[in-house]
Amino acid sequence: QVQLVESGGGLVQAGGSLRLSCAASRLTFSDYNMGWFRQAPGKEREFVAAINWSGGFTVYGDPVKGRFIISRDKAKNTVYLQMDSLKPEDTAVYYCAAGQKSFSKSGRDYNSWGQGTQVTVSS
């Protein structure tokens, strides 16, 4: 089955940057839309960003618009999330997801998930 492995999380001060990576395997990467979601303690999972199978379309959640950028490298089967101007409220476990359904912000359209990587932003 599809395997997704996130990396790049860590502890950063407010205003800092991190770049998350998600290495995908056991799939035809160019057939899949890719997304990033996050979940903070005690909160529901939240959509962060998505990029369609070709890389030609991206969509962002309102809290991260203008600060985060999603991209994909088909040669490396990897999707990235560049996170700038980080805020304490960005603290969460970040999950990578892959799907072949509609290109959307809904987790229901993604059927493969990584194990998550922790991002902590200190004030």
Side-chain angles (χ1 to χ4, degrees), residues 5-121:
V5 179
E6 302 97 334
S7 61
L11 173 64
V12 63
Q13 288 188 333
S17 298
L18 283 174
R19 188 176 81 154
L20 304 184
S21 299
C22 172
S25 59
R26 302 176 185 174
L27 81 170
T28 302
F29 189 60
S30 59
D31 286 349
Y32 284 77
N33 302 317
M34 301 297 295
W36 287 98
F37 293 77
R38 67 187 183 186
Q39 189 165 21
K43 295 188 176 182
E44 293 188 353
R45 184 177 63 195
E46 178 184 34
F47 170 78
V48 176
I51 187 165
N52 81 321
W53 61 272
S54 71
F57 294 94
T58 58
V59 62
Y60 297 91
D62 288 342
V64 308
K65 281 181 181 177
R67 300 188 297 121
F68 291 11
I69 297 175
I70 188 171
S71 61
R72 62 192 295 161
D73 185 334
K74 63 180 181 181
K76 296 182 178 180
N77 277 17
T78 299
V79 62
Y80 302 99
L81 185 68
Q82 177 66 42
M83 306 187 295
D84 297 324
S85 302
L86 283 161
K87 305 175 181 180
E89 51 264 44
D90 294 318
T91 295
V93 177
Y94 283 70
Y95 297 92
C96 175
Q100 293 181 293
K101 300 178 182 178
S102 300
F103 175 56
S104 80
K105 300 179 180 181
S106 171
R108 289 189 294 272
D109 288 319
Y110 299 86
N111 50 17
S112 297
W113 295 80
Q115 83 288 349
T117 185
Q118 176 70 47
V119 171
T120 303
V121 184

